[in-house]
Amino acid sequence: RTSLVSDPADGKIPFTPEGKTIRERSRARYGKGPYLSYTDLDTGERCITDGLPIYYGGYNNNYQIIQTPGQVTIYSEMAHQTRTVPITKRAMLPKDVTQWMGDSVGHWEGETLVIESSNIRYNEHSHFGTQYDGMTDENLRVTERFTRTSAETILYEFTVDDPETWTKPWTAQLVMGPAPGEIYE
């Protein structure tokens, strides 16, 4: 496979016509300014969040995953953000309660940790939008799957769904392995 995208099989993100328009608008604006205030910079540059899902950039790609009986905490080296996900059967927050990392609830499907997120705050300056090129916050759903495939390897898969942006949900995969040393800010 030459793409992180595993579904669809051709490795291409299936944009709707509206999604393509949003993507082009995002690409035309990103990195060009004018920067009249700090709010004109994306959330990654402002060290607020790199958002969902986990992805690998050029540096600071380390994550620490800590599991306790009622939750999983994912600590990211980039922007030193900590995300705590309850492992419980609870209703999602109301749609009008949005958060940068969304409302996430986890559960186990056999040996796979599944985290479902909605209510992800998105605007034109959100970092997710610069990575995956435009979507709407009220419809965006991210489903992450963490499966230990060996003592030293986790297969991380994420599926994103927003019917206004993509013609169907699409999935990408990353393989995570151990990193020696500490995670630094």
Side-chain angles (χ1 to χ4, degrees), residues 14-51:
F15 286 102
T16 63
E18 181 180 63
K20 286 180 184 178
T21 300
I22 293 168
R23 177 185 62 180
E24 293 309 315
R25 187 174 35 218
S26 173
R27 287 183 175 176
R29 186 187 185 300
Y30 184 68
K32 299 201 176 182
Y35 302 117
L36 304 176
S37 85
Y38 65 93
T39 62
D40 292 328
L41 300 172
D42 77 45
T43 57
E45 275 187 87
R46 293 169 54 200
C47 297
I48 294 172
T49 182
D50 277 332

Side-chain angles (χ1 to χ4, degrees), residues 139-150:
N139 295 315
L140 178 63
R141 303 284 179 270
V142 178
T143 303
E144 300 165 283
R145 291 178 170 15
F146 296 81
T147 306
R148 185 173 289 279
T149 56
S150 75

